[in-house]
Amino acid sequence: MLETKEEIDFVYNCMKKEYDTFDDIAVSTGSIMFEDYLTLDLGDTTCQILKVGGPHEEDSCVVYLKEAGILFAGDAHSGDYYHGEGKIDPIKMRASKEQII
């Protein structure tokens, strides 16, 4: 993976910590597909999943738990580890928050 430039050191090392062998990794298509957003009624909680894009995946999403006011952003707005530093972009993060609220 490193030799063929398919992966960078950071990701390769994370994968080595997570998996005993790369043969265990299986990529599949999700069972629920959506375009820009998906809203799930979980009873007492409304869960909004919004596509916000990102530096390493155009389909990066954030998850907002409306009633709790909690936003899970994961690495949606982290920097581009493949071409630079992996720092959060506060401007993009604020734009995502405003898009949701």
Side-chain angles (χ1 to χ4, degrees):
M1 296 171 96
L2 288 174
E3 298 81 18
T4 60
K5 304 291 184 195
E6 290 178 71
E7 214 43 90
I8 59 173
D9 287 340
F10 172 77
V11 175
Y12 180 80
N13 290 328
C14 287
M15 290 169 64
K16 280 179 32 179
K17 289 178 186 175
E18 183 77 21
Y19 299 96
D20 292 329
T21 172
F22 294 144
D23 295 335
D24 294 340
I25 300 172
V27 179
S28 63
T29 303
S31 59
I32 299 175
M33 307 295 278
F34 62 94
E35 288 297 317
D36 298 318
Y37 67 92
L38 175 67
T39 301
L40 302 171
D41 181 349
L42 304 177
D44 294 337
T45 302
T46 304
C47 177
Q48 297 175 320
I49 305 169
L50 297 124
K51 185 168 88 170
V52 295
H56 54 271
E57 292 296 336
E58 292 180 18
D59 61 352
S60 290
C61 296
V62 296
V63 176
Y64 181 59
L65 302 179
K66 186 176 180 181
E67 290 77 11
I70 298 172
L71 176 70
F72 294 95
D75 64 353
H77 294 307
S78 68
D80 184 348
Y81 284 98
Y82 290 85
H83 302 102
E85 294 184 33
K87 295 182 180 178
I88 291 174
D89 185 329
I91 295 169
K92 288 182 180 178
M93 184 63 75
R94 190 171 297 111
S96 289
K97 180 182 173 188
E98 291 170 4
Q99 177 185 358
I100 295 167
I101 297 173

